[in-house]
Amino acid sequence: MATLADSFLADLDELSDNEADVIEEEDVDTGNMEEDVDGEMADIENLNYDDLDSVSKLQKTQRYVDIMQKVEDALQKGSDISNLGMVLEDDPEYQLIVDCNALSVDIENEIIIIHNFIRDKYRLKFPELESLVHHPIDYARVVKKIGNEMDLTLVDLEGLLPSAIIMVVSVTASTTSGKPLPEEILDKTIDACDRALTLDAAKKKVLDFVESRMGYIAPNLSTIVGSAVAAKLMGTAGGLVALAKMPACNVQLLGAKKKNLAGFSTATSQFRVGYIEQTEIFQSTPPSLRMRACRLLASKSTLAARVDSTRGDPSGNNGRALREEIRKKIEKWQEPPPAKQPKPLPVPDSEPKKKRGGRRLRKMKERYAITDMRKLANRMQFGVPEESSLGDGLGEGYGMLGQAGSGKLRVSIGQSKLAAKVAKKFKEKNYGSSGASSGLTSSLAFTPVQGIELSNPQAHAHQLGSGTQSTYFSETGTFSKIKRT
Amino acid sequence: MSYLMTTLTKKREVDTIIRDTIDKVLVLRFGRASDPVCLHLDDLLRKSSREVSKFATVALVDIDSEEIQVYVNYFDISFIPSTIFFFNAHHMKMDSGTADHTKWVGAFHKKQDFIDVVEAIYRGAMKGKLIVSCPLPSERIPKYQLLYKDV
């Protein structure tokens, strides 16, 4: 599951890079290439940097500067009700929005790179801070505030972090193994922090701009999920058309935090939710229904995005209808189940009894099975009168019991079928292991009762002699007559 | 639903219900609504009529109506309440240790007793018997002295 989300988000990065190639106004080749290079996280060249500028080039590129300029202008102009009749693609404002989307993704990547840079530099001073404060912007702010201080009681972190984390940070700082940084490195670090903060501000500005235009660009989508989340979704997807092309399951995952940082348990992580998590509808559903609500929201917002990408409904009615549908569905999930009515009793003898089977039942039935003695007593030989208990035809007849042909009056308790099977298997097991293990094993069977017992191969032939066991289907029987020539 | 039990006052209604109940035991209680024992029995019947509904139908017959006197005479009903069982228009008799096998006199001790009796009748009827023995132990069977011409 993690790999799927990871691969998908990697695809997104590729996508935004591709759009950057297409939309770019002035082709700054080196800048472009280096951006691609910077996009790679595990790049060996980055490890040996010393200078911030070799790492983060985004702010220097022409594209960045141009787009930021345009955004500023547009924000100054205020909300501009453009011509709705125009095809979406030709509208210059739309073009700007698309650029902004791509740019916001790039800025995010850039911030991560700068965060790595700051972290590496600051490690000498305060190594534990990176594991306590995860968010890159918070980290940058904290680093800037602390600077080169060794004593954290002099530093006021109020407002930057939640108080619990401030406490942990102060305690860790008192026992930290770091040393104060030399002057140049400190300067570079502070510079990088500033850079990160400006990038963050720029990204916010871009997103605000997109958000303000959201109602005009994608009215249906913003009715369902709200303009802020809609802007973010569009930004991460890389455009409205790209968002519309995505399947709903991907839309659900847009913006999901992929890293479960080591040391933090994954039990509490909100599974498989992205920006959708921030929507008003999601926040207002009870936690047990959240997963279903998330899936529903993702699917309906994908539909709305598709409508918006083709400009099918500029007024936003579709979005309102979908929102109403979502609301109704969630309400329906929450209503209590219908009251149980007592069932009438079933008709007697209408349901057949369930017959059980199995080894246990067979063993139980054996106790009541017909014994060999009874079988012999039930049968009679043709033409030979049977003996009876009271003599002369009175009393119980003895049948073939005690007749001259059968050979035995006293029939011993024959082996039950199950026992015969088990005995055969046991013997096979013992005689079968020849030469496999140590030389101390022999083919003599050690029975617990009689000690060493040599099995008599003729014993099987005798078993067939009694008239009760079928010779055809016998399980322990062998050839009845072996002729030696 | 089970609070309303069909009360029959006309001969035709009784005829119809006996004829129309197919493959189910028909339980007809003859009694009047003012009698306390009758009320007790009625309460039990009402509560269990839904549970037994898959193999039995329960109906009340008011013996104070004129048309029903025919049946009162036919079945020789002298004690209130009396319950008579039918299956596919056959009158089912039950031997419960009392002298009269054609009807059940009095109320039941518990709802489960009633259900047991109905089930016994059903099983016997499905096997084709016209008289069944009562599954209840004798403590749970209400005993009445049968009077014959005040003897």
Side-chain angles (χ1 to χ4, degrees), chain B residues 32-76:
Chain B
R32 55 177 80 96
S34 42
D35 185 38
V37 183
C38 207
L39 281 176
H40 183 46
L41 175 65
D42 283 355
D43 189 41
L44 279 172
L45 291 178
R46 203 162 290 147
K47 282 186 195 163
S48 44
S49 72
R50 186 155 192 274
E51 286 190 37
V52 168
S53 60
K54 285 203 171 173
F55 53 93
T57 321
V58 181
L60 311 175
V61 182
D62 189 13
I63 52 169
D64 287 334
S65 113
E66 294 100 41
E67 296 185 28
I68 303 297
Q69 299 305 312
V70 180
Y71 282 114
V72 173
N73 290 333
Y74 179 73
F75 288 120
D76 218 357

Side-chain angles (χ1 to χ4, degrees), chain A residues 341-349, chain B residues 50-51 53-55 115 119 122-123:
Chain A
Q341 275 193 325
K343 274 170 80 169
L345 296 169
V347 178
D349 289 338
Chain B
R50 186 155 192 274
E51 286 190 37
S53 60
K54 285 203 171 173
F55 53 93
I115 296 177
E119 188 184 326
Y122 182 83
R123 278 191 209 263

Side-chain angles (χ1 to χ4, degrees), chain A residues 122-135:
Chain A
Y122 209 63
R123 212 175 258 163
L124 303 165
K125 163 83 173 65
F126 194 170
E128 297 91 356
L129 187 61
E130 60 173 332
S131 54
L132 295 174
V133 182
H134 293 289
H135 194 60

Side-chain angles (χ1 to χ4, degrees), chain A residues 429-453:
Chain A
K429 237 200 303 186
N430 277 6
Y431 295 138
S433 65
S434 54
S437 41
S438 71
L440 295 173
T441 56
S442 69
S443 56
L444 301 173
F446 284 87
T447 55
V449 177
Q450 294 160 341
I452 299 180
E453 168 194 292

